[in-house]
Amino acid sequence: MCLLAFQLQKHPKYKLIMMANRDEAYNRPTTPADFWSDYPDILAGRDLEQMGTWLGINKQGKIAALTNHRDFSLPETGGQSRGHIVSSYLQSNETPEDFLEQLHNSKNEYSGFNVLVGSSEELYYYSNIEQKTEHLKNGTHGLSNAFMNTPWPKTEAVKKLLCDYAESTNEIDVDVLFNMMQRAERFPSEQLPDTGVGGELESMLSSIFIASKEYGTRCTTVLLVDSEDQVYFEERTFKNGVFATAQKFSFTIENPTA
C-alpha cells in the first residue's frame, strides 16, 4: 500500500476513520477483500504471490496496515515479504508493543517498511528505517512511502481533506472518502521529494490516485469503527485505473482488544 490517512479518537461518532490506496503492478495476482478461509477472523485483501496483505482488521478489532518505504539511496535489505507483517499481527494474540518489539528484532529481514498496528482505541507506528516505535496521538495522521506524517504533497492533501470533512459532519459518507482518494492530479515538481526514481516517475507517483500503463492504484479501502464497535469495511477495486468491483462488510467487534 502506498497512501493512507486516518483519524483516531477525535470524531464524535467514529473512533476510527481510515482510507487507503494500494498501488501495485497491475499484473500482480490479488484477491479482493473478504474473510480468509484459512484465518476466518481476518478481513483483508490478499496478495497471491506471497499470501500476505497490506491492510486488514480481525473480528476482535485488531487493525494493521503497511506501506513500503521508498528511498533508492538506501541499500536493499532482507528477502521476507512485508505483507506477512500485517497478517502476522492480525493472527497473533500479542499486544502492539510486544509485536513491534519482536518485529524490531527481525527488522533486517525486510526491505524498508512502515507499519501501523493496534485497534480503534490506540495505534502504534514502526518503521524499520527509523527503527523506533511511536504511540500515535489522537487526531488525524497520514502515511505514504516516507515516515508517518512526512509532509509529501499528497499526504498533506489527504490529511487536510479528511480532517476538514470529519470536522464538518457527524455522519460520514463513505462516497466522500472514496472521492478524496481518487484524485489523480499531479503535484508540481518543485514540491516533490527526491526518492531516487527520477523526475518523470516521481511526478507519476505524486498523485493520490495513480494510473499508468503497468502500475497504479489497485484498490481503495475505507474502514470505519464507531463508538459502539460497529465496523464498516468497503474496498473498491480498479482494473488499469478503471473501477471494477466493490466489497462491503459490516460486523460488530467481538471481545474488543486494544
Side-chain angles (χ1 to χ4, degrees):
M1 186 171 62
C2 287
L3 180 63
L4 74 154
F6 59 95
Q7 187 176 95
L8 177 68
Q9 294 283 339
K10 188 176 180 182
H11 191 271
K13 180 176 179 179
Y14 296 96
K15 296 191 286 187
L16 179 67
I17 305 167
M18 180 178 287
M19 53 190 194
N21 279 352
R22 181 203 182 207
D23 305 327
E24 184 54 83
Y26 292 148
N27 63 1
R28 185 158 181 150
T30 302
T31 58
D34 205 343
F35 287 99
W36 292 4
S37 58
D38 50 345
Y39 293 98
D41 279 356
I42 295 177
L43 172 60
R46 204 164 201 181
D47 166 40
L48 294 180
E49 279 194 6
Q50 299 291 337
M51 302 306 289
T53 188
W54 53 95
L55 182 154
I57 183 171
N58 70 12
K59 291 181 180 179
Q60 292 72 47
K62 297 186 77 168
I63 294 165
L66 180 139
T67 71
N68 296 345
H69 185 91
R70 188 173 81 241
D71 185 346
F72 282 83
S73 69
L74 298 174
E76 278 289 311
T77 57
Q80 295 294 319
S81 169
R82 290 168 285 199
H84 288 163
I85 297 170
V86 173
S87 54
S88 294
Y89 178 71
L90 297 177
Q91 294 166 24
S92 77
N93 293 318
E94 296 170 296
T95 66
E97 302 98 316
D98 288 345
F99 179 84
L100 292 179
E101 182 178 352
Q102 293 184 37
L103 182 60
H104 176 70
N105 293 334
S106 59
K107 61 185 180 297
N108 293 329
E109 296 179 13
Y110 305 91
S111 295
F113 69 81
N114 306 291
V115 68
L116 190 69
V117 299
S119 70
S120 60
E121 303 296 333
E122 59 178 358
L123 288 168
Y124 291 77
Y125 163 74
Y126 175 79
S127 162
N128 70 335
I129 305 299
E130 284 187 310
Q131 299 183 24
K132 64 179 182 180
T133 295
E134 179 181 358
H135 186 193
L136 294 175
K137 296 178 180 178
N138 294 345
T140 307
H141 301 272
L143 178 64
S144 185
N145 300 114
F147 303 122
M148 182 67 68
N149 295 316
T150 296
W152 284 9
K154 66 179 178 181
T155 310
E156 291 294 279
V158 293
K159 281 175 61 179
K160 187 176 190 311
L161 288 167
L162 176 57
C163 186
D164 289 350
Y165 177 61
E167 288 181 353
S168 72
T169 181
N170 285 335
E171 292 295 332
I172 298 297
D173 182 342
V174 297
D175 287 332
V176 174
L177 301 184
F178 278 109
N179 288 337
M180 292 176 188
M181 299 301 286
Q182 288 159 21
R183 298 188 176 200
E185 62 267 29
R186 299 181 182 184
F187 291 89
S189 59
E190 63 270 17
Q191 297 180 14
L192 303 183
D194 180 4
T195 63
V197 299
E200 183 176 349
L201 186 53
E202 204 78 73
S203 176
M204 186 269 285
L205 297 172
S206 74
S207 58
I208 293 170
F209 186 96
I210 297 172
S212 69
K213 185 177 180 181
E214 298 178 342
Y215 177 94
T217 302
R218 295 280 302 273
C219 72
T220 301
T221 305
V222 166
L223 171 61
L224 305 175
V225 183
D226 71 15
S227 58
E228 304 297 322
D229 287 326
Q230 299 292 316
V231 174
Y232 181 79
F233 184 110
E234 181 173 345
E235 178 191 85
R236 297 183 184 179
T237 61
F238 302 89
K239 185 174 182 180
N240 298 337
V242 178
F243 172 76
T245 61
Q247 294 70 232
K248 304 176 183 182
F249 305 87
S250 298
F251 64 94
T252 302
I253 293 173
E254 307 169 356
N255 304 316
T257 183

